[in-house]
Amino acid sequence: MTAETVTGAPTARVPLRRRVPLGPDGPLGTLLDPMTWRAVPYLLVSVFHGLACCAFLAWAVPFSLLLAIVWIGLPLLALTMLAWRGAAMLERRFLRMAFGVDIPDPYRPSEGDNLFLRWKDMFVDPATWKDLLYLLLLLPIGIGEFTVSVILWTLGLTLIATPLPLMLAGEPMNPVGDLVLDTVPEALLCMLSGAGFLLAALYATRGMAWLHGMLGATLLGASEKSLLAARAAHLRASRARGVDAAEAERRRIERDLHDGAQQRLLSVAMDLGRAQAKLDSAPEEARELLAQAHRGTKAAIAELRDLARGIHPAILTDRGLNAALSSLASRAPVRVDLSVEISHRPPPAVESIAYFVVAECLTNLARHSEATEAFIRVSRRGQRVVVEVHDDGVGAAVPRPGGGLAGLADRAATIDGTLTVDSPLGGPTTVRAELPCEW
């Protein structure tokens, strides 16, 4: 069983100046940055990918449109569209490897139940035609990038390498035309010029990578309108899940009160009534009934205390997440290693969800996992609190509708968090919750 993300939010777009920085830490940083050297081969070979795409599209699209007069042209056009979508998907992977620009596939999900409706959804999807535009622009842009890269890198390397025989063996060199290098100062000047061209090549590589990445993000990625629509849909879904989770919690509290404490208190009232009636005629029996009512009262108080702890434990409010999780770990039936690596208390909603994630995982561990040890880690990752619960049990934990893990996912969704369950058959099991937190 692979890791399953129960809920998630649309990824926010990261500014390109952060994804493809232009020369971090000056020329030396640019030279040593691996991204620069990943971009160089892409800029040299992308022209061939563009040539292959344009050559295919130049005959496939007109040929498909020409045959569209008869029915055979429609499936051919659909296959052509699938082909250029595949080429665009491949280009997104290239951009991620070369420039570090992560562009998720922006295609709308198809709701058709047959091939024609799916093709129609693909046809009206703007991302399909933006892919086509990008692939058509890839050849002229690739020619420009290839030309600039070859000229600058060739000049730089040639001007640095050409004077080496003169400096090592004293032989005059003729690098370009009638230019003759026969003195060491001239050789040093030539090498200095080559270093300048190499520096220009480095920054030209970064600049072209930035521009190409910006073009790819614009044409191959989702538009701002699509991102906002996806964000709004996610918030609506999160709100609905939050309402459902609150309603399920209310029903659980009502059920626990009705089946537990309410029944016990009713029994206590009946025992007290019977004791009052027998107080004069059968004092010994009355004392026994009073003792029974006392035991029932204590049991009802314990149930109410457990119910209140299930709603929101007092120790969490009074002493914070570390103390509350330590209390949970101490009551676990197996050895639990706990690590809380946050310096400040998160907001109450985040603390509460983190607490119940750990509580549910430890409950499942005791009931189902057959684990012998567990590890709990709470840490900070930027603006998120990450809760990880790992055990060495038998695995096969799956979030099921109405189950505890699905309930945790609903709780996390109320604050735009995510819950991931990785539990292959045979174990181990890792439950990871990421909860957004403004520090």
Side-chain angles (χ1 to χ4, degrees):
M1 183 180 302
T2 58
E4 178 177 353
T5 301
V6 182
T7 182
T11 304
R13 178 173 290 179
V14 180
L16 275 168
R17 65 178 180 273
R18 297 184 182 177
R19 288 183 284 175
V20 190
L22 288 175
D25 303 324
L28 182 59
T30 305
L31 178 65
L32 299 179
D33 188 0
M35 204 287 293
T36 302
W37 302 107
R38 292 199 306 267
V40 170
Y42 175 85
L43 296 175
L44 291 175
V45 303
S46 66
V47 61
F48 302 105
H49 186 207
L51 179 62
C53 291
C54 285
F56 170 75
L57 294 171
W59 70 266
V61 174
F63 187 65
S64 301
L65 293 176
L66 182 63
L67 290 181
I69 334 176
V70 293
W71 68 270
I72 191 65
L74 294 179
L76 186 59
L77 180 60
L79 290 175
T80 303
M81 294 170 68
L82 285 174
W84 84 56
R85 267 198 177 191
M89 292 179 184
L90 185 63
E91 186 67 16
R92 290 186 189 94
R93 278 59 178 177
F94 287 158
L95 292 179
R96 182 172 64 246
M97 290 186 294
F99 306 148
V101 181
D102 190 9
I103 308 175
D105 293 335
Y107 307 118
R108 297 174 181 174
S110 176
E111 299 178 356
D113 54 359
N114 58 59
L115 291 178
F116 177 77
L117 292 178
R118 291 180 182 177
W119 176 78
K120 183 182 73 67
D121 291 339
M122 181 173 60
F123 186 85
V124 299
D125 190 350
T128 301
W129 303 102
K130 289 167 66 177
D131 287 350
L132 177 62
L133 177 59
Y134 176 87
L135 294 176
L136 292 176
L137 291 175
L138 190 59
L139 178 59
I141 292 174
I143 291 175
E145 293 170 346
F146 178 84
T147 303
V148 172
S149 298
V150 168
I151 291 175
L152 291 178
W153 286 104
T154 301
L155 279 175
L157 294 174
T158 300
L159 291 176
I160 287 179
T162 299
L164 290 179
L166 172 63
M167 299 187 66
L168 297 176
E171 299 178 1
M173 300 299 300
N174 185 6
V176 180
D178 297 332
L179 179 62
V180 177
L181 301 179
D182 53 7
T183 64
V184 172
E186 291 177 346
L188 291 176
L189 182 60
C190 182
M191 296 181 72
L192 185 61
S193 301
F197 276 106
L198 282 184
L199 183 62
L202 288 173
Y203 276 94
T205 298
R206 301 295 294 217
M208 290 187 293
W210 184 82
L211 292 173
H212 199 126
M214 184 168 60
L215 177 68
T218 302
L219 295 181
L220 297 180
S223 63
E224 291 294 338
K225 183 178 179 180
S226 300
L227 290 174
L228 289 176
R231 179 65 176 167
H234 173 75
L235 291 177
R236 286 195 298 269
S238 296
R239 183 178 62 183
R241 295 180 70 179
V243 171
D244 292 342
E247 180 63 18
E249 185 71 7
R250 183 188 65 80
R251 289 196 300 267
R252 182 188 68 83
I253 294 171
E254 287 181 349
R255 184 178 63 252
D256 290 346
L257 285 173
H258 181 272
D259 298 340
Q262 182 178 339
Q263 297 298 323
R264 288 191 179 277
L265 290 175
L266 179 61
S267 177
V268 168
M270 294 176 62
D271 289 340
L272 289 175
R274 292 167 58 195
Q276 185 178 13
K278 295 179 179 293
L279 190 59
D280 295 328
S281 59
E284 291 298 329
E285 189 175 347
R287 276 195 291 272
E288 178 61 29
L289 289 171
L290 288 174
Q292 183 175 327
H294 182 252
R295 290 193 296 271
T297 303
K298 292 195 293 184
I301 292 174
E303 286 193 8
L304 289 173
R305 185 183 297 115
D306 292 339
L307 181 61
R309 185 183 295 115
I311 298 172
H312 191 84
I315 189 174
L316 184 62
T317 303
D318 298 338
R319 299 175 56 191
L321 191 58
N322 196 351
L325 296 184
S326 298
S327 176
L328 283 177
S330 66
R331 298 197 300 268
V334 300
R335 185 174 67 87
V336 177
D337 292 330
L338 173 66
S339 173
V340 179
E341 303 169 2
I342 51 177
S343 56
H344 300 85
R345 289 190 64 172
V350 176
E351 276 192 335
S352 177
I353 294 173
Y355 173 87
F356 285 108
V357 166
V358 175
E360 179 66 25
C361 290
L362 291 181
T363 299
N364 291 341
L365 180 148
R367 293 178 179 175
H368 312 297
S369 72
E370 302 178 14
T372 59
E373 60 180 358
F375 175 74
I376 302 169
R377 182 182 182 186
V378 182
S379 59
R380 174 182 176 180
R381 297 288 186 274
Q383 295 298 314
R384 304 180 81 82
V385 170
V386 179
V387 182
E388 291 179 299
V389 183
H390 178 87
D391 68 66
D392 61 350
V394 297
V398 180
R400 295 182 177 87
L405 291 176
L408 293 179
D410 292 339
R411 281 179 179 261
T414 59
I415 60 171
D416 208 13
T418 62
L419 183 80
T420 301
V421 180
D422 183 10
S423 184
L425 186 62
T429 295
T430 301
V431 177
R432 176 186 176 94
E434 295 192 15
L435 309 173
C437 177
E438 297 292 337
W439 297 85

